[in-house]
Amino acid sequence: MQEWANQLCENRQFGSKMTDSKYFTTTKKGEIFELKAELNSDKKEKKKEAVKKVIASMTVGKDVSALFPDVVNCMQTDNLELKKLVYLYLMNYAKSQPDMAIMAVNTFVKDCEDLNPLIRALAVRTMGCIRVDKITEYLCEPLRKCLKDEDPYVRKTAAVCVAKLHDINAQLVEDQGFLDTLKDLISDSNPMVVANAVAALSEIAESHPNSNLLDLNPQTINKLLTALNECTEWGQIFILDCLANYSPRDDRESQSICERVTPRLSHANSAVVLSAVKVLMKFMEMLPKDLDYYGTLLKKLAPPLVTLLSAEPELQYVALRNINLIVQRRPEILKHEMKVFFVKYNDPIYVKLEKLDIMIRLASQANIAQVLAELKEYATEVDVDFVRKAVRAIGRCAIKVEQSAERCVSTLLDLIQTKVNYVVQEAIVVIKDIFRKYPNKYESVIATLCEHLESLDEPEARAAMIWIVGEYAERIDNADELLESFLEGFHDESTQVQLQLLTAIVKLFLKKPTETQELVQQVLSLATQDSDNPDLRDRGYIYWRLLSTDPVAAKEVVLAEKPLISEETDLIEPTLLEELICHIGTLASVYHKPPSAFVEGSRGVQHKRLTSSAGSGESVESPDTGSAAVSEAPPAVIPSQGDLLGDLLNLDLTPPTSTGPPPSAAPGMQLGAMDLLGGGLDSLLGGDIGGSPAMGAAFGAPPAAMPASFNAPISGGLDDLFDLGGGGMTMGTYIPPKTVWLPAMKAKGLEISGTFVRRSGVIQMEMTLNNKAMSVMSDFAIQFNRNSFGLAPAGPLQILTPISPNQSIEAALPLSTVGPVMKMEPLNNLQVAVKNNIDVFYFSCQYPISMLFLEDGKMERQVFLATWKDIPNENESQFQIKDCHLNSDAASNKLQGSNIFTIAKRTVEGQDMLYQSMKLTNGIWVLAELRVQAGNPNYTISLKCRAPEVSQCVFQNYETVLKN
Amino acid sequence: MISQLFILSSKGDSLIYKDSSVRGEAGSDVINVFYEKVMALPGDQPPVVMNHGDLHFVHVRQGGLYWVATTTADSSPFSLIEFLNRLASLVKDYCGALTEKAVQMNFALIYELLDEVVDYGYVQSMSSDVLKNFIQTEAVSPRPFSLFQLSNVGLFGAETQQSKVAPSSAASRPIQSSREQGGKSEIFVDVIERMSVVIGSNGVLMKADVEGEIKVKCYMPNCSEMRIGLNEEFSIGKSQLRGYGAAVRVDEVSFHQAVKLDEFDSSRILRLSPSQGEQTVMQYQLSDVLPSAPPFRLFPTVERDSAGKLLMYLKLRCDLPPKSAAINLCASVPVPKGSVSMSLQLSSPDQSAALQLQTRSIEWTVPRFPGGTQLSALFKVEVPGLSPSSLMEVGPMVLNFELPKMTASGLQVRFLRLSPVQPGPAQRWVRYVTHSDSYILRI
């Protein structure tokens, strides 16, 4: 055997060197001929060796499918080793040789009945791997037997086989009732079987998101928890991942699950640990924070996370990515563990960078001295990328922990003294940010910075330095000379530097107008006439016009006080963070992207979200977080360095006027608050609207080129903003087509079909009465049973003429909502009695709940925010709307026709979120968050309402409106 | 869930390829895609997860081979990495060694293993105890096994040459061949610790961590149970103080799931039925506190002499107990940019030192450094245009060393009992070693 394996090596090497295909094919033919002979040999040993050789060729990519019949002939043997080899071959080639594969079926079926459980399992395992449709039918009977086999090894293999078969032919699996058998296996006595059944069910359930296959209830959860203690580590992973999808009913249940999962944290397998962490992080949300157990749990989570950092670098990296998420969500878990994140000199660079990031997130007043000492050491290391990041980290510390700012600045100055080029440049970039956070505190260092002007060769550092010179021009004696020196090579600079240089010189001019007139003219003409960059040109023109029209206003605009920058500019967006926390320990947590972003869409990935306990007072939902941020963090978040366009907008956002508070101050502030909800688009709109009166005043008469919308009345602009493309584009109410409510068979020839309509605030029931009997019908009257929303006829049924046979007549019945109320099932069910001269007939019908949505169902934004926050989270329900191909604007329009009003829209990473409200006739408000992802036909909708029972109905209504 | 699994040689040749789930159509060109991606990887990018369209690669390198798993779903990279590492050690257990040749020769065995270990991408079981019931193929050894082949001296360095310590190659043999050879029954218990220390420029111990593990390598098919007794004063966690004396304390412990802990709380005994081959029985760690003084301290003087040269006088003291010694010590000190040459004076002849221009550092090596002694070195480095701020670029010193027959935590194996009592001369080996993981002395 050794000999031919060696030969194999040589062949391979030969093959890779020689590309002469002719030579190669001739040998192969000879080889195959030889193998054929050996396969048909009488001696078992020889056969076995031959099959091995065939498989060896297969591994290195040679085509040995020609030997299929010969190999299959070897299958009927009692030698297990040989049999296994043949099965291996079969798996590989059955797809390309389906007809041949049929030949093997008999042996499969026979082997499934073999006395040896190993052979039974082998057969059932292999059969499932052969994706040939013709085979699947033969598979069902043996599989059914094996699922009930006495040997657990066979059962666990059969459980997996169901998943395989489902992938080939889902319908068949359902028809044959294998899913039920699989569900039964969850209660199997053997934990390995349970684990595989859970794994198979989880996977099948993924392709049917709403099927409730894995019917998780307290009983099954209990079974799973029991199996958890007994099965192998890999089985534990399946079970824990499955548990993570369960939503406990209350905090007691969640605590008891946590208690039973906690022992997994000390498992040696890091995958088990992380899956357990995921379950705990998720269920912890349900626990009240004042509970003792909550504190205990927090303490228990730290050691296993720390342990992960002693693993191989690959695992460390994955662990750090996860810890990064955990630290953002619950910094308290690791707040005392700063030291474990100090880098080791022999860590790979990607581990070092991640550790650095976590160090900053954990930095606080208590540990800042330690952190700074470390960072300073890192800044003198050899690796350039790491050093850069370390220097930046020092700056971030200064911004995050105010008490440390002074020390950070002096550390940075020390580093600048090393004159190591990239260190100096990074230091200048971060010092710029420090200036913005603590104005008028550290400007004494400017002189030192200016000494290093020449050595800066990176655009970011140059731009930062220019910003500093412009901003503090009055304190730098030779500011004009410095800026002039940059101006010489203006066209060779990057856009970033050009923009900054333009702004800095304008600032300089406004501060020292007498000496710098020439300079400013020079830069304005460079920017507007000699540049083909539209951003630069536009900014140049804006400055130019400002300066020439009203220098005082220009001063107020350009030199306006800037909002302070906030410490954490790189936090993950809260909704995304929540989703990622639900995916701890998976690829999503490594990429820091939701699974929908990288897993093929067809799998029906569900967005997972955390559910938090009632009254914990903690903000979890996105609008909540937005409003919390408003109250807790007064300094507005503005884009960090480099985003100059944003800079400009922010300047405009705070309109400065000399004549007392401008009339737009109130809406302006309101807009600022809404900004967080409304996102980029709104802030742009808001900026214009908020800024326009002030700017208009400043410009005096608006230039002719000013777009017309600037002149529009402010109130109109605000309305526009609120309507978001509503107005004239409204598409009208969706009216469901008439359906037959009362078939003629049941009503002695009277057929009633109908629908409901809401027209300008009036609800109508529109019916077609069709006489299919032989006699004339007359004397119609109608009555409703009590129903959920008190619908009642507002007047008698107006059918004035009798209906003759085969005649049909249209009738419209106006409805009121003041009738007697009784809750129906389903909620929108209406029981109707119709009388005529023949008899009384009863039928029931369902009305679209949008009939009940009032025209004034548009909530104020603030009210929306407050209400959303106020409604407890358990009242929230989430649904998926599938296969809807509208974009968010079209959807918003359509919905508006049904009195579902869009209050705000925001776009995060290509995902549009529409915040909507509607009001029912009985005064119930329903709030909705509709998430639309470009290119993904599946929408996610979250509904919040004080009466959660209406959610289902509202969702159905969304679905019908959007799809018609 | 695993879609495909493959093992590649360092040159990118496919040794083993298995479409383990038969999901999807992705052909074997994924191997080429993977290899190109790995080769094109820049240094600062984590090689852990790479994606190519919908396909995500997770790989580890063991024994010079690439062990790669692919997946299309949002599965757990932890389980994939754990799985690949376990697979590598399983293959090592079965084939005796982890080399390209061993994998090639035993491909049939490896395919059979893979069949049992993963079904449709779900990991089933990786315990060699369970697997031995199913595996039929015999391993082929790449070379005749010889206990006395000493060329392969690995982990235990120079000390392994001594007669009382088993050579490390003794443990690299296929677990199954012991059946037919009826060879020696042997059991190895290794206590391996890695030490991370940072000592500040003022001599203050800033960080000290120890990560340790107890590994059992068992080649004793008829051993049904073994009991490993640890120090009786062994305690876990920060709060458990057990009086004074020589308590051995660690912060966090995790055990292999086969370990039974019923006697652990009372008498610190680990009970297990060892599987054939290698397994990590216990892992532990200790942070912030060392039971004894850190083994090395540095007393540096760095200055610029009148001639503009960089003058470094380094005194290194070994604080180990006098009977112990560190071996293969290598100290590396970064020097300022632009250093050209160096003259040096060392305190004893067996040491050596050189200026490495590529890494911009001085490498100072000491083959053996007994406890309680002190070494010194004077380096004069020629740096044109040396400025006072360049002195900041000197340091920190990084030490690499090995402490044979020692554990930094003080953990000891009190006894090792096997049952049933082994007939004949059963060999039981207990070995200790501490490595430096990241030992930094700041200047």
Side-chain angles (χ1 to χ4, degrees):
Chain A
M1 177 147 56
Q2 193 180 343
E3 192 191 329
W4 63 256
N6 278 336
Q7 209 178 349
L8 174 73
C9 280
E10 278 157 26
N11 271 349
R12 262 160 33 76
Q13 277 161 6
F14 204 16
S16 57
K17 274 180 219 151
M18 288 276 293
T19 44
D20 189 346
S21 57
K22 210 166 115 196
Y23 170 78
F24 205 49
T25 38
T26 45
T27 38
K28 206 171 80 182
K29 256 183 196 157
E31 214 172 65
I32 286 193
F33 183 76
E34 262 174 49
L35 285 172
K36 215 179 178 80
E38 284 176 46
L39 283 171
N40 291 317
S41 147
D42 298 333
K43 288 184 189 140
K44 250 184 206 156
E45 273 308 304
K46 203 153 193 184
K47 262 190 187 174
K48 196 158 80 183
E49 290 309 303
V51 178
K52 274 193 185 174
K53 282 185 206 172
V54 170
I55 290 171
S57 308
M58 193 171 88
T59 305
V60 296
K62 285 185 198 162
D63 183 15
V64 282
S65 56
L67 294 168
F68 201 93
D70 306 284
V71 178
V72 169
N73 274 341
C74 302
M75 199 173 171
Q76 300 199 22
T77 168
D78 41 6
N79 182 320
L80 194 53
E81 191 184 352
L82 180 55
K83 202 168 203 112
K84 277 189 156 182
L85 289 169
V86 174
Y87 271 105
L88 186 65
Y89 175 91
L90 267 179
M91 255 190 263
N92 216 335
Y93 280 113
K95 208 171 3 175
S96 56
Q97 310 268 332
D99 297 330
M100 296 282 192
I102 298 284
M103 290 171 20
V105 166
N106 277 336
T107 324
F108 280 140
V109 175
K110 214 174 90 198
D111 281 354
C112 280
E113 313 234 316
D114 198 282
L115 284 178
N116 185 345
L118 289 188
I119 293 183
R120 293 203 295 274
L122 181 64
V124 82
R125 183 167 67 209
T126 314
M127 282 193 308
C129 292
I130 299 177
R131 300 177 65 96
V132 180
D133 279 338
K134 288 180 195 163
I135 284 196
T136 49
E137 342 171 348
Y138 297 99
L139 198 60
C140 293
E141 273 323 300
L143 178 58
R144 197 187 315 283
K145 266 184 212 149
C146 288
L147 279 168
K148 304 217 159 113
D149 199 282
E150 54 180 20
D151 193 296
Y153 180 70
V154 181
R155 288 203 301 277
K156 71 134 195 169
T157 313
V160 176
C161 190
V162 175
K164 294 176 190 169
L165 190 59
H166 185 269
D167 196 39
I168 304 170
N169 190 342
Q171 196 55 46
L172 184 72
V173 170
E174 277 170 48
D175 296 345
Q176 295 279 334
F178 285 140
L179 293 183
D180 294 323
T181 325
L182 208 51
K183 277 190 210 168
D184 295 341
L185 286 184
I186 291 189
S187 321
D188 198 278
S189 57
N190 183 300
M192 196 59 221
V193 180
V194 179
N196 274 356
V198 169
L201 278 173
S202 302
E203 184 168 348
I204 295 172
E206 249 178 55
S207 47
H208 304 270
N210 298 322
S211 63
N212 200 22
L213 253 184
L214 260 173
D215 180 28
L216 292 180
N217 54 43
Q219 287 77 38
T220 41
I221 291 293
N222 203 19
K223 276 181 211 155
L224 290 181
L225 285 168
T226 314
L228 186 62
N229 291 327
E230 291 160 7
C231 66
T232 70
E233 45 198 319
W234 310 101
Q236 293 181 12
I237 299 170
F238 300 139
I239 294 183
L240 287 169
D241 287 345
C242 175
L243 276 179
N245 291 328
Y246 176 65
S247 315
R249 289 161 308 168
D250 51 25
D251 52 340
R252 291 180 60 107
E253 189 183 8
S254 133
Q255 178 175 347
S256 82
I257 295 175
C258 286
E259 276 166 359
R260 294 177 68 178
V261 167
T262 320
R264 298 297 124 210
L265 288 176
S266 55
H267 202 283
N269 185 329
S270 61
V272 176
V273 174
L274 254 285
S275 292
V277 168
K278 167 164 65 187
V279 174
L280 294 175
M281 283 294 286
K282 210 179 157 198
F283 289 8
M284 230 158 107
E285 300 288 334
M286 298 276 296
L287 299 176
K289 277 195 162 175
D290 45 2
L291 199 71
D292 286 344
Y293 183 70
Y294 181 83
T296 323
L297 202 54
L298 278 184
K299 281 199 199 97
K300 280 190 177 155
L301 277 169
L305 292 174
V306 172
T307 308
L308 290 176
L309 295 181
S310 53
E312 298 85 359
E314 289 91 359
L315 276 176
Q316 268 189 52
Y317 172 76
V318 180
L320 286 166
R321 293 291 280 179
N322 280 284
I323 290 173
N324 200 330
L325 294 175
I326 294 171
V327 163
Q328 288 188 46
R329 179 81 192 159
R330 300 212 176 274
E332 60 270 34
I333 293 176
L334 288 164
K335 67 180 174 202
H336 298 302
E337 306 290 343
M338 175 60 97
K339 276 190 181 173
V340 299
F341 299 105
F342 288 176
V343 304
K344 297 178 185 173
Y345 80 92
N346 50 353
D347 283 335
I349 178 72
Y350 53 88
V351 169
K352 285 184 177 172
L353 295 178
E354 281 302 315
K355 281 188 172 175
L356 209 51
D357 206 45
I358 296 174
M359 277 171 72
I360 304 300
R361 295 200 195 284
L362 286 176
S364 67
Q365 203 184 335
N367 56 23
I368 193 74
Q370 229 182 356
V371 173
L372 261 183
E374 279 294 311
L375 292 176
K376 196 175 171 185
E377 287 291 335
Y378 301 164
T380 58
E381 281 213 15
V382 189
D383 189 297
V384 178
D385 286 334
F386 181 57
V387 170
R388 281 175 183 275
K389 188 126 190 212
V391 177
R392 287 226 172 178
I394 297 177
R396 278 170 68 190
C397 279
I399 291 165
K400 191 170 177 204
V401 186
E402 190 168 352
Q403 293 80 358
S404 75
E406 197 160 343
R407 225 181 310 175
C408 293
V409 172
S410 78
T411 308
L412 287 170
L413 285 179
D414 283 353
L415 291 173
I416 287 176
Q417 294 305 336
T418 62
K419 295 203 170 66
V420 179
N421 192 301
Y422 51 85
V423 174
V424 175
Q425 309 211 36
E426 286 297 325
I428 286 179
V429 172
V430 294
I431 285 180
K432 183 200 84 172
D433 289 344
I434 296 178
F435 283 170
R436 295 193 59 183
K437 171 79 178 180
Y438 310 107
N440 302 318
K441 231 173 158 182
Y442 300 109
E443 281 76 4
S444 53
V445 308
I446 290 175
T448 324
L449 300 185
C450 288
E451 288 166 22
H452 297 274
L453 212 59
E454 284 81 37
S455 63
L456 307 179
D457 52 9
E458 290 164 21
E460 200 178 354
R462 286 173 84 86
M465 192 63 216
I466 293 170
W467 183 88
I468 293 172
V469 175
E471 190 66 20
Y472 299 101
E474 69 274 22
R475 309 186 196 198
I476 305 171
D477 294 333
N478 58 344
D480 48 344
E481 285 169 34
L482 294 177
L483 292 176
E484 200 170 356
S485 68
F486 282 107
L487 205 55
E488 281 159 20
F490 188 76
H491 288 300
D492 301 329
E493 300 283 0
S494 72
T495 312
Q496 192 184 7
V497 179
Q498 288 176 334
L499 285 167
Q500 201 53 265
L501 196 53
L502 171 62
T503 305
I505 291 179
V506 171
K507 283 180 188 165
L508 174 70
F509 170 72
L510 289 167
K511 288 175 178 174
K512 300 180 181 173
T514 46
E515 311 125 62
T516 56
Q517 208 152 358
E518 205 179 310
L519 193 61
V520 79
Q521 262 162 7
Q522 208 183 336
V523 77
L524 285 175
S525 88
L526 277 173
T528 54
Q529 283 156 25
D530 301 345
S531 166
D532 50 4
N533 180 327
D535 290 344
L536 186 63
R537 215 167 42 204
D538 285 357
R539 194 188 284 199
Y541 275 123
I542 292 172
Y543 283 142
W544 201 324
R545 190 150 293 161
L546 262 176
L547 292 173
S548 57
T549 334
D550 186 350
V552 179
K555 201 164 186 168
E556 273 154 5
V557 172
V558 178
L559 302 180
E561 206 172 295
K562 278 166 278 300
L564 300 180
I565 60 176
S566 87
E567 58 259 36
E568 309 263 357
T569 41
D570 57 343
L571 282 181
I572 295 177
E573 200 256 333
T575 17
L576 177 61
L577 181 62
E578 272 175 43
E579 191 176 347
L580 291 179
I581 289 282
C582 296
H583 289 278
I584 279 182
T586 68
L587 288 175
S589 68
V590 179
Y591 292 134
H592 287 187
K593 283 182 199 158
S596 50
F598 59 87
V599 177
E600 46 187 318
S602 60
R603 281 256 173 198
V605 181
Q606 280 170 300
H607 286 278
K608 295 181 183 168
R609 301 179 77 183
L610 296 175
T611 42
S612 98
S613 68
S616 69
E618 194 193 3
S619 53
V620 175
E621 299 309 327
S622 51
D624 290 7
T625 323
S627 60
V630 171
S631 55
E632 283 163 20
V637 181
I638 69 163
S640 58
Q641 68 276 352
D643 194 350
L644 294 165
L645 242 123
D647 228 327
L648 190 71
L649 273 169
N650 276 302
L651 288 176
D652 292 345
L653 239 174
T654 43
T657 39
S658 42
T659 55
S664 64
M669 274 173 61
Q670 201 181 354
L671 283 165
M674 270 183 268
D675 230 353
L676 292 161
L677 179 79
L681 181 67
D682 284 4
S683 91
L684 200 98
L685 272 169
D688 282 346
I689 293 158
S692 61
M695 277 176 68
F699 275 112
M706 199 72 104
S709 71
F710 264 59
N711 293 328
I714 308 164
S715 58
L718 276 169
D719 275 354
D720 258 5
L721 178 73
F722 274 109
D723 279 24
L724 276 166
M729 288 165 68
T730 312
M731 299 175 59
T733 321
Y734 161 69
I735 302 167
K738 284 188 178 172
T739 47
V740 175
W741 286 338
L742 183 69
M745 299 241 305
K746 284 192 178 169
K748 301 184 178 163
L750 174 65
E751 184 192 81
I752 301 180
S753 53
T755 184
F756 293 87
V757 193
R758 184 180 183 95
R759 287 210 178 96
S760 49
V762 178
I763 310 170
Q764 281 194 334
M765 186 163 159
E766 290 188 345
M767 289 177 286
T768 307
L769 287 82
N770 198 343
N771 183 355
K772 292 193 171 171
M774 303 304 284
S775 56
V776 176
M777 295 182 181
S778 60
D779 301 325
F780 284 93
I782 193 164
Q783 258 189 345
F784 292 178
N785 194 357
R786 288 193 286 176
N787 55 67
S788 316
F789 293 93
L791 280 174
L797 185 60
Q798 300 281 335
I799 295 174
L800 302 171
T801 50
I803 311 176
S804 42
N806 282 330
Q807 189 198 0
S808 70
I809 198 165
E810 303 283 339
L813 178 72
L815 305 181
S816 73
T817 52
V818 293
V821 174
M822 184 177 82
K823 195 179 163 197
M824 300 298 291
E825 191 56 51
L827 212 60
N828 55 345
N829 197 18
L830 183 65
Q831 293 177 338
V832 183
V834 172
K835 179 190 97 71
N836 63 6
N837 56 339
I838 300 168
D839 203 340
V840 182
F841 309 108
Y842 301 93
F843 65 87
S844 62
C845 54
Q846 291 180 10
Y847 48 92
I849 199 159
S850 60
M851 292 305 109
L852 305 168
F853 292 162
L854 293 179
E855 276 71 19
D856 61 348
K858 180 159 187 169
M859 222 174 217
E860 286 287 314
R861 287 191 177 206
Q862 265 71 18
V863 183
F864 182 90
L865 273 178
T867 318
W868 185 279
K869 197 175 170 184
D870 200 40
I871 297 177
N873 283 322
E874 62 264 34
N875 280 13
E876 186 184 355
S877 31
Q878 204 172 60
F879 304 93
Q880 289 242 320
I881 300 174
K882 299 211 141 182
D883 290 317
C884 190
H885 295 280
L886 298 168
N887 66 19
S888 57
D889 288 336
S892 167
N893 273 331
K894 256 192 161 175
L895 292 167
Q896 179 150 359
S898 297
N899 290 341
I900 298 173
F901 298 96
T902 302
I903 295 173
K905 172 181 163 184
R906 101 196 257 217
T907 307
V908 179
E909 293 184 350
Q911 180 165 274
D912 289 337
M913 316 236 216
L914 299 176
Y915 294 96
Q916 300 175 321
S917 74
M918 58 224 92
K919 184 184 176 188
L920 289 166
T921 46
N922 55 0
I924 293 177
W925 285 91
V926 182
L927 310 188
E929 183 203 45
L930 185 66
R931 287 199 258 170
V932 181
Q933 187 138 27
N936 183 350
N938 298 343
Y939 295 178
T940 309
I941 180 166
S942 302
L943 294 172
K944 261 192 160 186
C945 178
R946 288 188 207 281
E949 52 273 44
V950 303
S951 298
Q952 182 65 33
C953 261
V954 174
F955 159 63
Q956 282 165 1
N957 189 57
Y958 261 93
E959 203 162 37
T960 38
V961 172
L962 286 174
K963 288 191 179 168
N964 289 289
Chain B
M1 278 159 302
I2 300 160
S3 297
Q4 288 137 336
L5 249 177
F6 44 93
I7 305 176
L8 302 188
S9 75
S10 55
K11 290 190 243 71
D13 300 320
S14 145
L15 304 179
I16 299 283
Y17 171 84
K18 186 167 158 67
D19 206 339
S20 70
S21 64
V22 203
R23 293 161 200 266
E25 295 284 330
S28 55
D29 68 312
V30 290
I31 293 177
N32 296 329
V33 171
F34 166 79
Y35 194 67
E36 274 164 27
K37 278 195 171 273
V38 158
M39 288 293 118
L41 209 62
D44 59 340
Q45 239 179 50
V48 183
V49 198
M50 299 184 292
N51 70 317
H52 174 71
D54 278 338
L55 204 61
H56 306 272
F57 297 99
V58 173
H59 83 278
V60 299
R61 280 202 78 167
Q62 293 236 7
L65 308 173
Y66 292 98
W67 304 71
V68 193
T70 69
T71 175
T72 51
D74 184 23
S75 43
S76 154
F78 286 100
S79 42
L80 297 183
I81 296 173
E82 282 276 357
F83 167 75
L84 292 172
N85 282 331
R86 299 282 187 89
L87 181 66
S89 65
L90 203 61
V91 169
K92 191 180 171 201
D93 280 347
Y94 271 88
C95 305
L98 261 195
T99 61
E100 190 177 335
K101 202 163 182 191
V103 170
Q104 254 170 13
M105 297 177 82
N106 288 298
F107 72 93
L109 171 64
I110 295 174
Y111 276 122
E112 197 184 354
L113 272 174
L114 283 177
D115 253 359
E116 294 297 339
V117 163
V118 220
D119 191 4
Y120 197 49
Y122 305 132
V123 183
Q124 300 293 310
S125 172
M126 303 199 78
S127 131
S128 56
D129 268 350
V130 178
L131 290 171
K132 71 172 179 241
N133 302 323
F134 309 128
I135 300 301
Q136 309 292 324
T137 317
E138 290 281 343
V140 191
S141 273
R143 59 186 150 74
F145 172 70
S146 149
L147 186 65
F148 302 104
Q149 191 172 13
L150 292 174
S151 62
N152 183 3
V153 177
L155 204 55
F156 294 94
E159 294 285 63
T160 55
Q161 311 277 348
Q162 293 177 12
S163 56
K164 59 178 176 179
V165 179
S168 63
S169 61
S172 65
R173 60 185 208 198
I175 46 175
Q176 282 182 321
S177 53
S178 55
R179 310 178 185 152
E180 72 206 42
Q181 291 179 355
K184 257 192 194 156
S185 313
E186 280 182 306
I187 200 152
F188 299 83
V189 176
D190 298 339
V191 183
I192 303 163
E193 294 193 348
R194 287 175 297 160
M195 187 187 231
S196 297
V197 170
V198 178
I199 298 176
S201 48
N202 50 1
V204 174
L205 182 63
M206 298 177 71
K207 176 184 156 160
D209 289 344
V210 176
E211 293 154 8
E213 58 189 10
I214 301 181
K215 277 191 175 171
V216 171
K217 284 181 193 157
C218 178
Y219 303 99
M220 207 172 277
N222 54 351
C223 168
S224 63
E225 188 185 78
M226 69 184 289
R227 293 163 81 227
I228 305 173
L230 305 180
N231 312 43
E232 272 175 334
E233 313 84 0
F234 185 78
S235 68
I236 301 165
K238 292 195 160 81
S239 56
Q240 281 189 29
L241 285 174
R242 286 195 166 188
Y244 308 96
V248 176
R249 188 190 65 80
V250 297
D251 288 336
E252 176 71 14
V253 181
S254 59
F255 299 99
H256 189 278
Q257 65 176 14
V259 177
K260 298 183 194 72
L261 296 171
D262 43 353
E263 286 179 80
F264 185 74
D265 279 338
S266 55
S267 39
R268 300 299 176 202
I269 293 172
L270 306 174
R271 207 153 56 77
L272 71 155
S273 339
S275 316
Q276 296 298 299
E278 181 177 314
Q279 63 204 109
T280 302
V281 172
M282 174 174 138
Q283 283 171 303
Y284 55 92
Q285 64 194 47
L286 173 62
S287 40
D288 286 350
V289 196
L290 286 179
S292 50
F296 300 99
R297 276 188 187 278
L298 179 69
F299 304 93
T301 322
V302 178
E303 59 188 33
R304 197 175 152 216
D305 72 354
S306 49
K309 282 187 179 175
L310 173 68
L311 209 62
M312 280 195 281
Y313 181 63
L314 305 176
K315 219 160 53 168
L316 193 60
R317 193 179 76 200
C318 178
D319 289 336
L320 291 171
K323 279 183 186 163
S324 322
I327 56 168
N328 299 340
L329 180 109
C330 175
S332 140
V333 190
V335 291
K337 209 165 44 172
S339 303
V340 188
S341 59
M342 173 182 85
S343 60
L344 53 93
Q345 266 177 283
L346 299 170
S347 59
S348 71
D350 56 337
Q351 310 167 35
S352 64
L355 177 68
Q356 303 290 338
L357 289 176
Q358 278 154 326
T359 53
R360 241 177 65 206
S361 61
I362 300 173
E363 301 287 333
W364 179 18
T365 55
V366 183
R368 188 180 154 83
F369 194 173
T373 60
Q374 189 166 301
L375 297 175
S376 58
L378 177 67
F379 300 115
K380 272 189 199 168
V381 187
E382 184 86 47
V383 191
L386 181 75
S387 69
S389 65
S390 325
L391 293 184
M392 278 183 74
E393 291 180 56
V394 175
M397 180 190 264
V398 171
L399 287 184
N400 278 302
F401 54 85
E402 210 172 278
L403 308 177
K405 292 183 278 174
M406 275 203 57
T407 53
S409 64
L411 183 85
Q412 300 279 329
V413 173
R414 223 173 352 130
F415 59 80
L416 183 60
R417 282 186 203 131
L418 306 173
S419 60
V421 175
Q422 299 293 316
Q427 305 266 15
R428 290 176 295 178
W429 305 96
V430 178
R431 310 184 284 192
Y432 302 96
V433 71
T434 299
H435 292 271
S436 57
D437 182 8
S438 161
Y439 198 102
I440 297 177
L441 298 155
R442 290 188 176 150
I443 295 178

